[in-house]
Short mmCIF file of all heavy atoms in Angstrom, two decimals:
data_model
loop_
_atom_site.label_atom_id
_atom_site.label_comp_id
_atom_site.label_asym_id
_atom_site.label_seq_id
_atom_site.Cartn_x
_atom_site.Cartn_y
_atom_site.Cartn_z
N MET A 681 14.04 32.47 -23.37
CA MET A 681 14.72 32.07 -24.56
C MET A 681 16.18 31.90 -24.22
O MET A 681 16.84 32.72 -23.59
CB MET A 681 14.48 33.17 -25.70
CG MET A 681 15.02 32.68 -27.00
SD MET A 681 14.83 33.98 -28.35
CE MET A 681 13.12 34.25 -28.32
N ALA A 682 16.80 30.86 -24.74
CA ALA A 682 18.24 30.56 -24.54
C ALA A 682 19.10 31.63 -25.26
O ALA A 682 18.74 32.10 -26.27
CB ALA A 682 18.59 29.24 -24.99
N ARG A 683 20.19 31.93 -24.61
CA ARG A 683 21.14 32.91 -25.20
C ARG A 683 21.96 32.19 -26.26
O ARG A 683 22.44 31.17 -26.07
CB ARG A 683 22.07 33.48 -24.10
CG ARG A 683 22.97 34.50 -24.58
CD ARG A 683 23.67 35.10 -23.41
NE ARG A 683 22.71 36.03 -22.76
CZ ARG A 683 23.05 37.23 -22.33
NH1 ARG A 683 24.31 37.66 -22.43
NH2 ARG A 683 22.21 38.01 -21.75
N ILE A 684 22.04 32.85 -27.47
CA ILE A 684 22.74 32.34 -28.58
C ILE A 684 23.88 33.21 -28.93
O ILE A 684 23.82 34.44 -28.97
CB ILE A 684 21.90 32.24 -29.84
CG1 ILE A 684 20.71 31.25 -29.54
CG2 ILE A 684 22.64 31.71 -30.99
CD1 ILE A 684 19.59 31.20 -30.62
N VAL A 685 25.09 32.62 -29.08
CA VAL A 685 26.34 33.42 -29.44
C VAL A 685 26.15 33.81 -30.85
O VAL A 685 25.88 33.02 -31.74
CB VAL A 685 27.57 32.63 -29.17
CG1 VAL A 685 28.82 33.41 -29.67
CG2 VAL A 685 27.75 32.29 -27.76
N ALA A 686 26.34 35.10 -31.18
CA ALA A 686 26.23 35.60 -32.52
C ALA A 686 27.27 35.07 -33.47
O ALA A 686 28.45 34.98 -33.09
CB ALA A 686 26.29 37.14 -32.52
N GLU A 687 26.90 34.67 -34.68
CA GLU A 687 27.85 34.27 -35.68
C GLU A 687 28.53 35.46 -36.26
O GLU A 687 28.06 36.61 -36.08
CB GLU A 687 27.09 33.54 -36.80
CG GLU A 687 26.54 32.20 -36.42
CD GLU A 687 26.10 31.38 -37.62
OE1 GLU A 687 26.45 31.72 -38.80
OE2 GLU A 687 25.34 30.47 -37.43
N LYS A 688 29.67 35.25 -36.90
CA LYS A 688 30.37 36.37 -37.56
C LYS A 688 30.46 36.13 -39.05
O LYS A 688 30.60 34.96 -39.43
CB LYS A 688 31.76 36.53 -36.97
CG LYS A 688 31.84 37.00 -35.57
CD LYS A 688 33.19 37.40 -35.15
CE LYS A 688 33.10 38.03 -33.75
NZ LYS A 688 34.42 38.45 -33.38
N CYS A 689 30.25 37.16 -39.85
CA CYS A 689 30.25 37.02 -41.32
C CYS A 689 31.72 36.97 -41.78
O CYS A 689 32.70 37.10 -41.00
CB CYS A 689 29.51 38.22 -41.92
SG CYS A 689 30.34 39.76 -41.90
N THR A 690 31.90 36.90 -43.08
CA THR A 690 33.23 36.80 -43.67
C THR A 690 34.10 38.01 -43.36
O THR A 690 35.31 37.91 -43.42
CB THR A 690 33.15 36.48 -45.19
OG1 THR A 690 32.37 37.49 -45.78
CG2 THR A 690 32.54 35.20 -45.49
N CYS A 691 33.49 39.16 -43.19
CA CYS A 691 34.31 40.41 -42.96
C CYS A 691 34.51 40.58 -41.41
O CYS A 691 35.03 41.59 -40.97
CB CYS A 691 33.71 41.64 -43.57
SG CYS A 691 31.95 41.93 -43.14
N GLY A 692 34.05 39.62 -40.55
CA GLY A 692 34.32 39.70 -39.19
C GLY A 692 33.29 40.43 -38.35
O GLY A 692 33.46 40.58 -37.14
N CYS A 693 32.21 40.92 -38.94
CA CYS A 693 31.18 41.61 -38.16
C CYS A 693 30.23 40.66 -37.53
O CYS A 693 29.99 39.55 -37.98
CB CYS A 693 30.31 42.44 -39.09
SG CYS A 693 31.23 43.74 -39.96
N LYS A 694 29.75 40.96 -36.30
CA LYS A 694 28.72 40.11 -35.63
C LYS A 694 27.48 40.20 -36.43
O LYS A 694 26.99 41.29 -36.85
CB LYS A 694 28.53 40.63 -34.22
CG LYS A 694 29.56 40.17 -33.21
CD LYS A 694 29.17 40.55 -31.83
CE LYS A 694 30.15 40.01 -30.85
NZ LYS A 694 29.79 40.38 -29.50
N MET A 695 26.79 39.13 -36.62
CA MET A 695 25.53 39.06 -37.31
C MET A 695 24.35 39.16 -36.38
O MET A 695 24.50 38.72 -35.20
CB MET A 695 25.50 37.83 -38.15
CG MET A 695 26.65 37.69 -39.20
SD MET A 695 26.62 36.18 -40.10
CE MET A 695 25.50 36.50 -41.37
N LYS A 696 23.24 39.58 -36.87
CA LYS A 696 22.01 39.68 -36.06
C LYS A 696 21.07 38.56 -36.47
O LYS A 696 21.02 38.14 -37.67
CB LYS A 696 21.34 41.01 -36.26
CG LYS A 696 22.08 42.12 -35.67
CD LYS A 696 21.33 43.47 -35.51
CE LYS A 696 22.22 44.44 -34.83
NZ LYS A 696 21.44 45.54 -34.39
N ARG A 697 20.27 38.05 -35.49
CA ARG A 697 19.37 36.97 -35.76
C ARG A 697 18.19 37.41 -36.61
O ARG A 697 17.69 38.56 -36.38
CB ARG A 697 18.78 36.43 -34.38
CG ARG A 697 18.35 35.01 -34.40
CD ARG A 697 19.50 34.03 -34.56
NE ARG A 697 19.05 32.70 -34.42
CZ ARG A 697 19.16 31.83 -35.41
NH1 ARG A 697 19.76 31.99 -36.48
NH2 ARG A 697 18.69 30.56 -35.16
N LEU A 698 17.79 36.56 -37.58
CA LEU A 698 16.60 36.82 -38.37
C LEU A 698 15.45 36.01 -37.85
O LEU A 698 15.53 34.82 -37.52
CB LEU A 698 16.83 36.34 -39.87
CG LEU A 698 17.70 37.25 -40.75
CD1 LEU A 698 17.93 36.50 -42.10
CD2 LEU A 698 17.12 38.57 -40.94
N TYR A 699 14.27 36.69 -37.81
CA TYR A 699 13.08 36.02 -37.27
C TYR A 699 11.97 36.13 -38.23
O TYR A 699 11.88 37.05 -38.98
CB TYR A 699 12.62 36.63 -35.90
CG TYR A 699 13.61 36.39 -34.78
CD1 TYR A 699 14.61 37.30 -34.53
CD2 TYR A 699 13.57 35.21 -34.06
CE1 TYR A 699 15.52 37.07 -33.53
CE2 TYR A 699 14.48 35.02 -33.06
CZ TYR A 699 15.42 35.95 -32.70
OH TYR A 699 16.34 35.77 -31.74
N THR A 700 11.03 35.21 -38.22
CA THR A 700 9.77 35.25 -38.94
C THR A 700 8.59 34.97 -38.06
O THR A 700 8.78 34.31 -36.94
CB THR A 700 9.78 34.24 -40.15
OG1 THR A 700 8.63 34.47 -40.95
CG2 THR A 700 9.88 32.86 -39.71
N ARG A 701 7.42 35.46 -38.36
CA ARG A 701 6.27 35.21 -37.47
C ARG A 701 6.06 33.72 -37.29
O ARG A 701 5.97 33.02 -38.39
CB ARG A 701 5.04 35.98 -38.02
CG ARG A 701 4.03 36.32 -37.05
CD ARG A 701 4.51 37.37 -36.12
NE ARG A 701 3.39 37.90 -35.35
CZ ARG A 701 3.53 38.11 -34.10
NH1 ARG A 701 4.61 37.99 -33.46
NH2 ARG A 701 2.40 38.58 -33.43
N ALA A 702 5.78 33.26 -36.13
CA ALA A 702 5.51 31.83 -35.91
C ALA A 702 4.11 31.43 -36.42
O ALA A 702 3.27 32.28 -36.69
CB ALA A 702 5.56 31.53 -34.43
N GLU A 703 3.90 30.07 -36.61
CA GLU A 703 2.58 29.59 -37.02
C GLU A 703 1.54 30.10 -36.12
O GLU A 703 1.72 30.08 -34.90
CB GLU A 703 2.60 28.07 -36.89
CG GLU A 703 2.89 27.16 -38.08
CD GLU A 703 2.32 27.40 -39.40
OE1 GLU A 703 1.10 27.35 -39.58
OE2 GLU A 703 3.17 27.61 -40.29
N GLY A 704 0.37 30.54 -36.69
CA GLY A 704 -0.67 31.09 -35.86
C GLY A 704 -0.47 32.48 -35.39
O GLY A 704 -1.40 33.04 -34.70
N GLY A 705 0.65 33.10 -35.73
CA GLY A 705 0.75 34.51 -35.34
C GLY A 705 1.23 34.75 -33.91
O GLY A 705 1.18 35.93 -33.49
N LYS A 706 1.61 33.77 -33.20
CA LYS A 706 2.02 33.91 -31.76
C LYS A 706 3.41 33.63 -31.65
O LYS A 706 3.89 32.49 -31.79
CB LYS A 706 1.21 32.95 -30.84
CG LYS A 706 -0.33 33.28 -30.86
CD LYS A 706 -1.03 32.39 -29.88
CE LYS A 706 -2.57 32.81 -29.81
NZ LYS A 706 -3.23 32.00 -28.83
N GLY A 707 4.25 34.69 -31.32
CA GLY A 707 5.62 34.45 -31.13
C GLY A 707 6.41 34.60 -32.49
O GLY A 707 5.88 34.96 -33.48
N TRP A 708 7.76 34.26 -32.36
CA TRP A 708 8.66 34.36 -33.50
C TRP A 708 9.46 33.07 -33.66
O TRP A 708 9.88 32.50 -32.62
CB TRP A 708 9.56 35.57 -33.34
CG TRP A 708 8.83 36.78 -33.29
CD1 TRP A 708 8.31 37.38 -32.14
CD2 TRP A 708 8.47 37.68 -34.32
NE1 TRP A 708 7.71 38.61 -32.52
CE2 TRP A 708 7.75 38.78 -33.84
CE3 TRP A 708 8.60 37.60 -35.71
CZ2 TRP A 708 7.20 39.81 -34.64
CZ3 TRP A 708 8.14 38.57 -36.51
CH2 TRP A 708 7.38 39.64 -36.01
N ASP A 709 9.84 32.69 -34.85
CA ASP A 709 10.72 31.59 -35.15
C ASP A 709 11.97 32.15 -35.72
O ASP A 709 11.95 32.98 -36.65
CB ASP A 709 10.09 30.59 -36.12
CG ASP A 709 8.88 29.80 -35.58
OD1 ASP A 709 8.86 29.67 -34.29
OD2 ASP A 709 8.09 29.41 -36.37
N SER A 710 13.11 31.75 -35.25
CA SER A 710 14.40 32.13 -35.76
C SER A 710 14.66 31.35 -37.04
O SER A 710 14.47 30.17 -37.12
CB SER A 710 15.51 31.97 -34.79
OG SER A 710 15.59 30.68 -34.34
N VAL A 711 15.13 32.05 -38.13
CA VAL A 711 15.39 31.42 -39.39
C VAL A 711 16.73 31.52 -39.90
O VAL A 711 17.21 30.89 -40.92
CB VAL A 711 14.43 31.99 -40.48
CG1 VAL A 711 13.01 31.52 -40.16
CG2 VAL A 711 14.53 33.38 -40.70
N GLY A 712 17.57 32.46 -39.31
CA GLY A 712 19.00 32.54 -39.80
C GLY A 712 19.59 33.80 -39.26
O GLY A 712 19.30 34.30 -38.19
N TRP A 713 20.75 34.24 -39.93
CA TRP A 713 21.61 35.25 -39.50
C TRP A 713 21.72 36.35 -40.61
O TRP A 713 21.85 35.97 -41.81
CB TRP A 713 22.94 34.83 -39.10
CG TRP A 713 22.92 33.83 -37.97
CD1 TRP A 713 22.79 32.51 -37.96
CD2 TRP A 713 23.02 34.22 -36.56
NE1 TRP A 713 22.81 32.02 -36.67
CE2 TRP A 713 22.97 33.03 -35.82
CE3 TRP A 713 23.15 35.44 -35.91
CZ2 TRP A 713 22.97 33.04 -34.42
CZ3 TRP A 713 23.23 35.46 -34.55
CH2 TRP A 713 23.15 34.27 -33.77
N LEU A 714 21.82 37.61 -40.26
CA LEU A 714 22.05 38.68 -41.23
C LEU A 714 23.08 39.64 -40.77
O LEU A 714 23.10 40.06 -39.62
CB LEU A 714 20.71 39.48 -41.41
CG LEU A 714 20.69 40.76 -42.17
CD1 LEU A 714 21.01 40.54 -43.64
CD2 LEU A 714 19.43 41.50 -42.02
N CYS A 715 24.00 40.01 -41.67
CA CYS A 715 25.09 40.97 -41.37
C CYS A 715 24.48 42.38 -41.64
O CYS A 715 24.02 42.61 -42.73
CB CYS A 715 26.36 40.73 -42.12
SG CYS A 715 27.67 41.83 -41.59
N THR A 716 24.64 43.26 -40.72
CA THR A 716 24.11 44.61 -40.83
C THR A 716 25.13 45.59 -41.25
O THR A 716 24.79 46.84 -41.37
CB THR A 716 23.37 45.08 -39.58
OG1 THR A 716 24.33 45.09 -38.56
CG2 THR A 716 22.21 44.20 -39.28
N CYS A 717 26.31 45.23 -41.59
CA CYS A 717 27.36 46.21 -41.95
C CYS A 717 27.25 46.59 -43.49
O CYS A 717 28.03 47.40 -43.94
CB CYS A 717 28.78 45.65 -41.72
SG CYS A 717 29.38 44.38 -42.81
N GLY A 718 26.32 45.89 -44.23
CA GLY A 718 26.18 46.27 -45.60
C GLY A 718 26.86 45.37 -46.59
O GLY A 718 26.79 45.55 -47.82
N CYS A 719 27.55 44.27 -46.15
CA CYS A 719 28.20 43.40 -47.07
C CYS A 719 27.24 42.41 -47.71
O CYS A 719 27.53 41.74 -48.71
CB CYS A 719 29.32 42.56 -46.33
SG CYS A 719 28.71 41.41 -45.11
N GLY A 720 25.96 42.24 -47.15
CA GLY A 720 24.97 41.41 -47.70
C GLY A 720 25.09 40.00 -47.31
O GLY A 720 24.40 39.15 -47.92
N CYS A 721 25.84 39.62 -46.28
CA CYS A 721 26.00 38.22 -45.91
C CYS A 721 24.82 37.78 -45.10
O CYS A 721 24.37 38.40 -44.15
CB CYS A 721 27.24 38.14 -45.04
SG CYS A 721 27.74 36.53 -44.58
N VAL A 722 24.19 36.62 -45.57
CA VAL A 722 23.02 36.05 -44.96
C VAL A 722 23.27 34.54 -44.77
O VAL A 722 23.74 33.96 -45.75
CB VAL A 722 21.69 36.29 -45.69
CG1 VAL A 722 20.52 35.59 -45.08
CG2 VAL A 722 21.43 37.80 -45.91
N THR A 723 23.00 34.02 -43.63
CA THR A 723 23.12 32.57 -43.39
C THR A 723 21.79 32.01 -42.88
O THR A 723 21.34 32.51 -41.95
CB THR A 723 24.19 32.33 -42.38
OG1 THR A 723 25.44 32.88 -42.80
CG2 THR A 723 24.46 30.73 -42.18
N MET A 724 21.24 31.05 -43.54
CA MET A 724 19.93 30.47 -43.15
C MET A 724 20.24 29.19 -42.30
O MET A 724 21.20 28.51 -42.60
CB MET A 724 19.06 30.12 -44.30
CG MET A 724 18.82 31.27 -45.26
SD MET A 724 18.19 32.80 -44.47
CE MET A 724 16.52 32.29 -44.09
N ASP A 725 19.34 28.99 -41.29
CA ASP A 725 19.43 27.74 -40.50
C ASP A 725 19.10 26.51 -41.35
O ASP A 725 18.37 26.61 -42.35
CB ASP A 725 18.40 27.80 -39.33
CG ASP A 725 18.78 28.89 -38.33
OD1 ASP A 725 20.00 29.28 -38.38
OD2 ASP A 725 17.93 29.29 -37.53
N GLU A 726 19.61 25.44 -41.04
CA GLU A 726 19.43 24.17 -41.78
C GLU A 726 18.00 23.78 -41.77
O GLU A 726 17.51 23.22 -42.80
CB GLU A 726 20.28 23.01 -41.18
CG GLU A 726 21.77 23.32 -41.35
CD GLU A 726 22.55 22.22 -40.69
OE1 GLU A 726 22.06 21.09 -40.36
OE2 GLU A 726 23.74 22.44 -40.46
N GLN A 727 17.21 23.90 -40.70
CA GLN A 727 15.87 23.44 -40.66
C GLN A 727 14.93 24.25 -41.52
O GLN A 727 13.89 23.84 -41.92
CB GLN A 727 15.31 23.35 -39.25
CG GLN A 727 15.02 24.64 -38.62
CD GLN A 727 16.21 25.20 -37.81
OE1 GLN A 727 17.28 24.76 -37.97
NE2 GLN A 727 15.92 26.17 -36.94
N TRP A 728 15.31 25.40 -41.94
CA TRP A 728 14.52 26.35 -42.74
C TRP A 728 14.79 25.96 -44.17
O TRP A 728 15.86 26.01 -44.68
CB TRP A 728 14.82 27.80 -42.41
CG TRP A 728 13.84 28.74 -43.14
CD1 TRP A 728 12.72 29.10 -42.65
CD2 TRP A 728 14.06 29.36 -44.39
NE1 TRP A 728 12.08 29.99 -43.55
CE2 TRP A 728 12.91 30.12 -44.63
CE3 TRP A 728 15.01 29.37 -45.41
CZ2 TRP A 728 12.75 30.92 -45.75
CZ3 TRP A 728 14.88 30.11 -46.52
CH2 TRP A 728 13.73 30.82 -46.73
N GLN A 729 13.71 25.68 -44.92
CA GLN A 729 13.79 25.38 -46.33
C GLN A 729 12.79 26.11 -47.13
O GLN A 729 11.68 26.44 -46.64
CB GLN A 729 13.63 23.85 -46.57
CG GLN A 729 14.66 23.00 -45.96
CD GLN A 729 14.52 21.60 -46.16
OE1 GLN A 729 13.58 21.19 -46.83
NE2 GLN A 729 15.31 20.76 -45.62
N GLU A 730 13.10 26.48 -48.35
CA GLU A 730 12.17 27.21 -49.18
C GLU A 730 11.02 26.28 -49.56
O GLU A 730 11.17 25.11 -49.80
CB GLU A 730 12.85 27.69 -50.44
CG GLU A 730 13.94 28.77 -50.17
CD GLU A 730 14.63 29.19 -51.44
OE1 GLU A 730 14.49 28.49 -52.44
OE2 GLU A 730 15.26 30.18 -51.41
N GLY A 731 9.89 26.90 -49.77
CA GLY A 731 8.70 26.18 -50.15
C GLY A 731 8.74 25.94 -51.69
O GLY A 731 9.57 26.45 -52.36
N GLU A 732 7.74 25.11 -52.20
CA GLU A 732 7.75 24.87 -53.57
C GLU A 732 7.60 26.06 -54.46
O GLU A 732 8.15 26.16 -55.51
CB GLU A 732 6.61 23.91 -53.82
CG GLU A 732 6.81 22.45 -53.29
CD GLU A 732 5.68 21.52 -53.63
OE1 GLU A 732 5.01 21.83 -54.65
OE2 GLU A 732 5.48 20.65 -52.87
N CYS A 733 6.81 27.10 -53.93
CA CYS A 733 6.63 28.30 -54.76
C CYS A 733 7.91 29.08 -55.00
O CYS A 733 8.01 29.88 -55.87
CB CYS A 733 5.53 29.16 -54.13
SG CYS A 733 6.03 29.84 -52.55
N CYS A 734 8.92 28.90 -54.07
CA CYS A 734 10.18 29.63 -54.21
C CYS A 734 11.20 28.95 -55.03
O CYS A 734 12.33 29.44 -55.30
CB CYS A 734 10.71 29.80 -52.80
SG CYS A 734 9.64 30.78 -51.71
N THR A 735 10.93 27.72 -55.46
CA THR A 735 12.00 26.95 -56.25
C THR A 735 11.90 27.17 -57.77
O THR A 735 12.77 26.85 -58.45
CB THR A 735 11.83 25.49 -55.96
OG1 THR A 735 10.46 25.01 -56.32
CG2 THR A 735 12.09 25.05 -54.59
N ASN A 736 10.83 27.88 -58.25
CA ASN A 736 10.73 28.09 -59.70
C ASN A 736 11.59 29.29 -60.09
O ASN A 736 11.68 30.19 -59.47
CB ASN A 736 9.20 28.46 -60.01
CG ASN A 736 8.41 27.17 -59.78
OD1 ASN A 736 8.85 26.11 -59.82
ND2 ASN A 736 7.08 27.46 -59.59
#
């Protein structure tokens, strides 16, 4: 897997990568970034979009 430089949130903390289980249950797909300092900052990747059930 390629090395990715961690993004930083608005308070300057390094963010950790968010993953979800890949199609078929083999491996993991990265979906965004999460700050673990407690500020609640989350950034989602552009290719990840909510499904129709989440838009209601």
Side-chain angles (χ1 to χ4, degrees):
M681 187 181 302
R683 185 171 282 223
I684 299 172
V685 177
E687 288 191 19
K688 290 192 175 185
C689 72
T690 54
C691 57
C693 299
K694 281 188 178 179
M695 299 176 84
K696 292 194 176 193
R697 204 71 175 120
L698 283 176
Y699 294 93
T700 186
R701 203 70 169 138
E703 263 319 296
K706 295 185 178 181
W708 298 91
D709 291 333
S710 55
V711 294
W713 296 91
L714 169 69
C715 187
T716 58
C717 74
C719 69
C721 188
V722 175
T723 304
M724 302 310 286
D725 292 341
E726 292 177 17
Q727 72 268 17
W728 188 86
Q729 296 179 1
E730 293 178 346
E732 288 182 26
C733 64
C734 300
T735 58
N736 295 336

